[in-house]
Amino acid sequence: MTRVRVHNFTISLDGYGAGPLQTREDPLGVGGEALHDWFIPTRAFQRINGKAGGTTGVDDDIAARFGEGVGAWIMGRNMFGPIRGPWPDDAWRGWWGKNPPYHGPVFVLTHHARPPIQMEGGTVFHFVTGGPREALGRATEAAEGKDVQIGGGVATIRQYLEAGLIDELHVAIAPRLLGSGEHLLYGLDLPALSYECTTHVPTAAATHVVLTRRQ
Ligand SMILES: NC(=O)c1ccc[n+]([C@@H]2O[C@H](COP(=O)([O-])OP(=O)(O)OC[C@H]3O[C@@H](n4cnc5c(N)ncnc54)[C@H](OP(=O)(O)O)[C@@H]3O)[C@@H](O)[C@H]2O)c1
């Protein structure tokens, strides 16, 4: 059965999943890049980006579950890129180059319709204007029994949490303070939404937490 998962989503100690003022130069907002200091050195990250080498150990073991058993992806328009408002043209095709690390259908939540984009390596970006439930319905169908992974960003994960539609959420808490930006959990009553902490693994680089929704 399809499970809806978030994996390798990183927040700062003060709860931000991205810094403020996202631009092409700062995809994760000002200061946000440092959130991924635990992830970027790992062998899993290097492999995801088509490179060899990288660190092994607990961070790598956890990071390697990215995309495992996943048949389709969902992300918000700001994770897809820094452009806001109506698309000026079709030039922007994501941050990830010609061959993004998804290798399957990716459903991008947006208010601004756009034809699908076929990338190398099997990634196809579909732009969904009907909201989170429509995106999840299409992703679940496309996943053909595999899991759906929600990549981010913050606003997207928050909507799926509030709707009780995420089965498992892995958050890496980085030892960084951002002070402002996009806050992941502010104002969400997770126990009332049936979430409990089922895994808690500290490493030198991050504290890994898994929240699971009781059925
Ligand atoms: N820390 C991590 O591990 C991690 C992982 C992934 C991403 N990020 C970062 O998170 C940041 C992006 O997060 P974010 O919270 O700003 O944005 P987001 O969730 O990526 O995207 C939000 C945008 O998606 C569209 N959208 C969202 N809900 C919608 C709905 N119900 N109906 C239609 N469209 C909808 C809207 O765009 P429009 O109205 O403009 O169409 C909205 O402004 C980026 O900096 C990214 O790099 C961090």
Side-chain angles (χ1 to χ4, degrees), residues 7-11 16-19 22 26-29 32 35-36 75-80 83-85 87 95 108-112 128-132 151-157 159 182:
H7 196 70
N8 290 351
F9 195 85
T10 309
I11 61 173
Y16 296 96
Q22 184 200 49
D26 277 324
L28 280 123
L35 294 177
H36 284 151
M75 68 174 63
R77 196 260 181 101
N78 300 355
M79 177 170 168
F80 177 70
I83 297 169
R84 304 290 189 267
W87 303 100
W95 308 97
V108 181
L109 283 175
T110 178
H111 293 99
H112 301 279
V128 180
T129 55
V154 173
T156 297
I157 293 176
Q159 288 179 72
E182 307 303 324

